[in-house]
């Protein structure tokens, strides 16, 4: 059974940093495309960062230059380093995994991803 478990969320002041982790239980972690999404209260879920199985990483415009996504295949863990946090970064952050065998990649399309974690809350205050 595939499981994704996020950790590392919490409360931080604006300008601060957090690092989120997503532990991924799968026998071949490196064959999946991975992504981070977030959903703020009252808003739709949006893609934040996505990693193609070949290592290509894309970011949403709102976080580019502040957030860094990475993964450690040996540890089956996905990370999201978040720096210079802003009030508008407050949301529930969720990791997702999609089929790496397909030729097309839709990094921020929710329906592309088959497996989702439960999310971790990030709250940024002034």
């Amino acid at each position: 059974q595939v499981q994704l478990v996020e950790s590392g969320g919490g409360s931080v002041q604006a300008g601060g940093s957090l690092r989120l982790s997503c532990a991924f239980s799968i026998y071949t972690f490196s064959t999946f495309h991975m992504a981070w999404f977030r959903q703020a209260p009252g808003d739709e879920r949006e893609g934040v960062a996505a990693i193609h199985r070949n290592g290509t990483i894309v970011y949403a415009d709102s976080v580019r230059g502040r957030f860094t996504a990475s993964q450690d295949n040996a540890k089956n863990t996905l990370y999201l380093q978040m720096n210079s946090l802003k009030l508008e970064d407050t949301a529930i952050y969720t990791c997702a995994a999609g089929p790496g065998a397909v030729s097309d990649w839709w990094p921020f399309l929710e329906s592309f991803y088959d497996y989702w974690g439960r999310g971790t809350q990030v709250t940024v205050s002034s």
Side-chain angles (χ1 to χ4, degrees):
Q1 182 178 357
V2 176
Q3 287 188 320
L4 290 81
V5 181
E6 302 92 342
S7 61
S11 297
V12 64
Q13 288 191 321
S17 299
L18 283 174
R19 188 176 82 154
L20 305 183
S21 299
C22 172
F24 187 59
S25 67
I26 189 68
Y27 46 90
T28 50
F29 172 67
S30 61
T31 64
F32 283 75
H33 303 309
M34 305 296 296
W36 286 99
F37 286 78
R38 69 182 181 186
Q39 186 169 21
D43 290 345
E44 294 186 354
R45 187 156 55 186
E46 63 174 355
V48 175
I51 303 179
H52 191 281
R53 58 173 292 186
N54 67 10
T56 301
I57 304 175
V58 297
Y59 297 96
D61 290 342
S62 58
V63 306
R64 188 177 296 113
R66 300 187 298 120
F67 290 11
T68 302
S70 62
Q71 63 185 49
D72 186 332
N73 292 340
K75 296 183 178 180
N76 277 13
T77 303
L78 180 70
Y79 300 101
L80 185 67
Q81 177 66 45
M82 306 185 296
N83 299 328
S84 302
L85 283 162
K86 303 177 180 180
L87 298 179
E88 53 264 41
D89 293 320
T90 295
I92 296 174
Y93 285 73
T94 306
C95 61
V102 301
S103 58
D104 293 328
W105 182 42
W106 306 94
F108 294 146
L109 180 64
E110 289 185 52
S111 59
F112 178 80
Y113 296 91
D114 299 318
Y115 305 105
W116 294 80
R118 292 191 174 188
T120 185
Q121 176 70 47
V122 172
T123 303
V124 184
S125 60
S126 58

